[in-house]
Amino acid sequence: EVSRDLAGTPNQEVQPSSSTAPVDGAYSRDDDSSSSSDSRENYPFRFGQWCLFVGGPRGPEDLFSSYESGSLLGMASAICRPRTWSVTVTACHSGEAVCMSSAEVSKPFFYLYDTLHSRLGIQLPFTHFERSVLQALNVAPTQLHPNSWAFVRAFELLCEDLGKVPTLGVFFWFFTPRKMDRVGWTSLSNRPKRSLLWPFSESYKGFKNLFFRVAPNDSNSRLLVDRDGRQHFPLQWTRRPAVSISVAVKNLESWEWAFIAELKD
């Protein structure tokens, strides 16, 4: 079934995945380490995509990393949770932009902003929920603005504190992609009359040039793909990020509705 939530923008209604939440929404850290990757065909949403030219953030000063070889000593350990997969962190080449494709590189990698771990406390491997948000929005890690990453992380912590698992249905009930007039990062904002969290910063600065390459040391690592070889999230900037996500109310579980009511209060 195809509908249109935005003028001229096709949206696909899809069914919820049984793997997005445990019974009754009880929180468990085991769900974060799940190696299964949700397909966009399993989301309880209608989502719109916007075909665009990936030119990255405006201005050359926003595109290139200021890190040099030798300046990332200890970064691989800093960005990973203890006793998890081993990764290699390398500086970008001269002229290598954050929105560039790695199609010509044999070893898969993705770019990561330093601010995710240093200011927001986000570490690798990404949780199941974090990977699912990237998939639903169809964006790479650096394509999602840090202020929006802060919404994702704060929602996870809120759910953990309340003993609930974070689900996409509840998250996107409160948050929506923000339409932007120019090519750049994908941003999230509170939906009208459904405000849940304040932005981490009114003007998030000082992160644009601080990014680097991240690649798994082990080719059999589950950092990037699941057991079936499907990517957990886009590795590089995509040309079709989601610009609208409408939650299919009829597909929400009863406990999710109860949780939404609790959060609204």
Side-chain angles (χ1 to χ4, degrees), residues 110-229:
F110 60 95
Y111 298 112
L112 192 69
Y113 282 120
D114 175 88
T115 192
L116 292 193
H117 87 89
S118 63
R119 296 189 66 186
L120 304 181
I122 295 172
Q123 293 183 295
L124 300 178
F126 292 131
T127 66
H128 178 75
F129 177 70
E130 290 161 359
R131 298 195 308 256
S132 296
V133 170
L134 293 175
Q135 279 195 339
L137 294 173
N138 193 34
V139 294
T142 52
Q143 198 171 357
L144 184 62
H145 193 277
N147 248 353
S148 299
W149 268 110
F151 281 143
V152 174
R153 184 60 184 143
F155 182 75
E156 283 188 299
L157 294 174
L158 177 62
C159 290
E160 182 176 356
D161 187 56
L162 296 176
K164 299 293 186 180
V165 67
T167 68
L168 296 176
V170 176
F171 181 76
F172 285 116
W173 175 263
F174 289 101
F175 297 98
T176 183
R178 182 191 306 168
K179 292 185 294 183
M180 302 182 69
D181 295 331
R182 66 179 188 175
V183 176
W185 296 278
T186 290
S187 293
L188 298 172
S189 62
N190 288 281
R191 292 185 185 273
K193 299 182 180 180
R194 297 182 190 176
S195 182
L196 181 65
L197 299 169
W198 290 100
F200 180 81
S201 173
E202 291 298 330
S203 181
Y204 205 115
K205 297 180 179 180
F207 71 92
K208 299 174 184 177
N209 307 110
L210 301 178
F211 65 91
F212 40 80
R213 290 184 176 199
V214 178
N217 280 335
D218 184 358
S219 59
N220 295 319
S221 168
R222 295 289 176 259
L223 178 67
L224 303 182
V225 297
D226 64 14
R227 291 188 178 91
D228 296 322

Side-chain angles (χ1 to χ4, degrees), residues 229-242:
R230 295 174 298 186
Q231 284 186 359
H232 288 311
F233 53 87
L235 300 185
Q236 265 67 50
W237 283 45
T238 68
R239 294 177 180 272
R240 294 178 63 85

Side-chain angles (χ1 to χ4, degrees), residues 85-97:
W85 296 308
S86 176
V87 300
T88 298
V89 172
T90 55
C92 300
H93 302 303
S94 176
E96 184 176 351

Side-chain angles (χ1 to χ4, degrees), residues 2 9 14 17 19-20 23 27 67 77 104 123 125 129 147 151 169 205 264:
V2 176
T9 304
V14 290
S17 168
S19 64
T20 57
V23 177
Y27 181 84
Y67 280 122
S77 298
E104 299 180 359
Q123 293 183 295
F129 177 70
N147 248 353
F151 281 143
K205 297 180 179 180
K264 288 167 63 176

Side-chain angles (χ1 to χ4, degrees), residues 35-49:
S35 62
S36 64
S37 174
D38 283 345
S39 162
R40 294 193 75 174
E41 297 176 354
N42 292 326
Y43 293 146
F45 317 135
R46 294 178 180 180
F47 57 87
Q49 290 182 321

Side-chain angles (χ1 to χ4, degrees), residues 9-32:
T9 304
N11 297 280
Q12 182 72 37
E13 182 173 356
V14 290
Q15 298 301 314
S17 168
S18 59
S19 64
T20 57
V23 177
D24 296 331
Y27 181 84
S28 170
R29 285 194 176 274
D30 292 339
D31 297 298
D32 289 345

